[in-house]
Amino acid sequence: MSRRHPADLRAALAALDLMPGELVRVREEVPARFGVSSRYARWAGAPAAPPTGPGPAVLFERVTPSGLAAGEDGTTSGGAGPAEDGITSEDGAEPGAGAVLMGLYGTRRRAAALLGATPAELAHRLLDAVAAPLPPVPAADPDRWARSDRKPDLTTLPVPVLTDEDAGPYLTLGAVLATDPATGVRNLSIHRMCVQGPDLLTIWMVPGRDLEQAHRNSLDAGRPLPVAIHLGLGPAVLLASCCPTSLVPTGTDELAVAGALAGAPVELLPCRTVDAEYIAHAEYVLEGELLPDTMPENPRGAAATPEFLGYQGTAHPALPTVRITGITARRGPILQAVSGPGHEQSVLLGFGMEAAVLAVLRRRGAPVRAVHCHTAGGGQLMVVLQWAAKRSAEDDALVREASQAVLEEFRMAKLVLSVDEDVDVESDQDLWWAMVTRWQADRDLLVLPDREGFPLDPSQSVAYSPALSADGRTAKAVFDCTVPYAQRHRFRRARFTEDPGPGSG
């Protein structure tokens, strides 16, 4: 039987407590509106604005709710009153300050370690989990995951607000679980959701993806789609929810992938107010219905919230809405969030992308050793490929052809950096060293003009480059920093001779 890994968020935090310097606890009371993000900014890491750098996970133990969006006079509405202990009491009283966790996956090493792996191993682990999924099961002992009912009022939750331009408080790691009424297939995916009222959210769904299709199928059947929104999940479940469709295709249950990754099935329980299931170990569960109604993401302005590439997001003029019908929570719940731009969101997106790229290259028979989707590209736009030692001159062309294939296969990928097996793909210094000493612009740069791209990169627009045929298209590039086979003897890295130690020779 495979080794088990932390089943829930609390087990993950307990594991971090055993790793010196990996978890910081902030015990002072801070506001959800700007307080959490401003204190976390120095640890967020690029693409967050400097000065910043990857740091520990940070548990803010007492965060006061932000209420609704700020009005023109800077006031807020709908905030909760104070409470002494920040948890739901047995009689259902609402909390004041609550806990917020940021940065659990803020470094690749820490994120992988929570699943008993190194960053280089995790993509392979994901591929194994997709190949041998472990389906979820009904919770055998619901009392193990005891939880209480709360008033369905989102303004009582400590949902962070990042900037004064934001449309409002955003659920940035809200994992939505729903079952497509037409196919019976479950889908778990993370979506950006803005608090629009005490029981109302707007939700952004990528057109054509599984949740959006399930919503359409439900509306075609004449009813809203029941959903369970989870805040605070175990590492395997959260990572599986971030995997791209090319890795976990429609018809494959992300919860089964999570079970295989964790080494034990994910446990489910029935919701209390809608006909849906929820993940038993979740810190918060927001039960609700995905409605046919739409509304502006930001009725007061043009901004949404900062995007993962580091720029302020643009609000959508009309988004679907979710009506919250019930909220349940574990005792002393922890609301998990990300900062928008920063290492954490890039790490979560990157591991699934790496596995998907690795799968494509394996099918081509390409001798790739490792894939690293760099956090500077949001875990999507910059792909580093590490190649096995070349066996013949034919491998020079193979590396370039396979690198180009990645750019053609993955719309989000904008550049591929290919390096040899003696280059550490986790080291920015080593990557720049390879670029400086193993790359010549006139022969090692391959440009693919006017390809389908990703419009959240502001350079992918006709205003930036008239050579593009439309906004959301881009020029892509391969940087081949691998040594030509015929010249391999000229590029041997020097290694320091080991000291044999006293008493030898």
Side-chain angles (χ1 to χ4, degrees):
M1 184 175 179
S2 59
R3 179 183 173 188
R4 294 191 178 204
H5 301 290
D8 65 346
L9 184 59
R10 298 182 189 207
L13 291 178
L16 284 195
D17 277 330
L18 303 177
M19 305 178 193
E22 295 291 349
L23 178 63
V24 169
R25 296 176 185 270
V26 177
R27 292 186 166 86
E28 66 176 291
E29 188 170 285
V30 298
R33 184 175 296 277
F34 316 142
V36 169
S37 55
S38 62
R39 286 164 175 80
Y40 178 69
R42 64 187 175 116
W43 290 312
T52 190
V58 184
L59 181 61
F60 297 90
E61 296 183 347
R62 292 184 57 80
V63 179
T64 55
S66 56
L68 294 178
E72 292 182 0
D73 60 356
T75 62
T76 61
S77 61
E84 293 184 359
D85 59 3
I87 61 174
T88 302
S89 64
E90 293 300 321
D91 62 2
E94 291 299 327
V100 173
L101 176 66
M102 303 281 282
L104 182 62
Y105 308 101
T107 69
R108 288 169 56 82
R109 182 183 58 80
R110 183 166 65 240
L114 289 171
L115 289 166
T118 65
E121 293 168 342
L122 197 47
H124 299 273
R125 289 272 306 280
L126 276 168
L127 289 175
D128 292 343
V130 172
L134 188 59
V137 297
D141 180 15
D143 291 340
R144 179 189 177 196
W145 311 110
R147 56 200 313 114
S148 59
D149 287 300
R150 293 187 172 213
K151 181 181 177 181
D153 185 350
L154 297 166
T155 67
T156 65
L157 304 184
V159 183
V161 180
L162 304 185
T163 80
D164 57 7
E165 292 183 283
D166 284 14
Y170 272 86
L171 308 183
T172 49
L173 274 183
V176 181
L177 182 63
T179 299
D180 190 321
T183 65
V185 175
R186 269 187 301 261
N187 173 251
L188 180 72
S189 49
I190 291 178
H191 299 269
R192 186 176 80 190
M193 291 170 277
C194 184
V195 177
Q196 302 289 352
D199 64 348
L200 190 67
L201 295 163
T202 48
I203 180 171
W204 162 239
M205 296 179 287
V206 178
R209 297 284 179 86
D210 291 347
L211 183 62
E212 196 258 358
Q213 187 58 54
H215 183 218
R216 288 181 179 274
N217 290 341
S218 189
L219 296 183
D220 289 345
R223 56 183 180 270
L225 179 68
V227 296
I229 302 169
H230 305 77
L231 302 172
L233 290 168
V237 176
L238 196 63
L239 184 58
S241 73
C242 295
C243 289
T245 303
S246 55
L247 178 65
V248 184
T250 299
T252 301
D253 189 344
E254 286 88 355
L255 291 182
V257 174
L261 196 59
V266 176
E267 297 186 8
L268 299 175
L269 287 168
C271 290
R272 304 181 184 187
T273 62
V274 294
D275 184 17
E277 303 165 297
Y278 73 88
I279 298 163
H281 71 247
E283 295 290 318
Y284 288 94
V285 176
L286 315 181
E287 302 178 2
E289 295 179 324
L290 189 44
L291 304 174
D293 310 315
T294 64
M295 68 176 293
E297 186 174 12
N298 187 351
R300 296 160 297 280
T305 192
E307 298 282 2
F308 74 109
L309 289 181
Y311 300 96
Q312 180 68 20
T314 301
H316 292 266
L319 286 181
T321 55
V322 180
R323 180 72 65 186
I324 301 302
T325 57
I327 298 177
T328 65
R330 297 178 66 179
R331 188 167 184 83
I334 301 167
L335 191 150
Q336 191 174 8
V338 295
S339 68
H343 268 53
E344 183 169 26
Q345 189 162 189
S346 301
V347 167
L348 286 168
L349 292 171
F351 280 129
M353 178 82 164
E354 288 168 13
V357 171
L358 189 61
V360 166
L361 294 177
R362 279 181 174 179
R363 288 196 294 270
R364 293 177 62 93
V368 64
R369 286 174 52 91
V371 180
H372 176 192
C373 291
H374 204 285
T375 54
Q380 302 279 290
L381 275 67
M382 178 178 175
V383 182
V384 181
L385 303 179
Q386 184 191 58
W387 296 92
K390 293 178 179 178
R391 300 155 296 183
S392 67
E394 284 73 24
D395 282 347
D396 292 339
L398 184 153
V399 166
R400 296 198 180 196
E401 291 166 3
S403 300
Q404 179 176 346
V406 170
L407 294 176
E408 300 284 16
E409 179 80 17
F410 294 93
R411 173 178 67 91
M412 299 277 282
K414 185 180 181 181
L415 65 89
V416 167
L417 177 67
S418 281
V419 297
D420 293 298
E421 62 182 353
D422 63 344
V423 175
D424 181 0
V425 297
E426 298 288 335
S427 165
D428 289 351
Q429 291 291 319
D430 238 26
L431 295 178
W432 280 112
W433 172 82
M435 174 76 78
V436 168
T437 67
R438 298 181 176 183
W439 184 80
Q440 285 292 316
D442 60 342
R443 55 152 286 158
D444 295 322
L445 174 65
L446 172 65
V447 177
L448 310 179
D450 199 25
R451 297 306 204 269
E452 184 183 9
F454 183 59
L456 287 184
D457 169 2
S459 74
Q460 298 187 28
S461 72
V462 294
Y464 188 92
S465 173
L468 300 176
S469 60
D471 289 346
R473 295 183 69 82
T474 189
K476 299 189 175 190
V478 173
F479 295 82
D480 184 0
C481 301
T482 61
V483 173
Y485 177 77
Q487 300 185 46
R488 63 194 184 282
H489 63 283
R490 299 182 58 240
F491 290 84
R492 184 171 60 86
R493 285 187 95 161
R495 301 283 181 181
F496 296 113
T497 302
E498 290 189 13
D499 181 358
S504 61

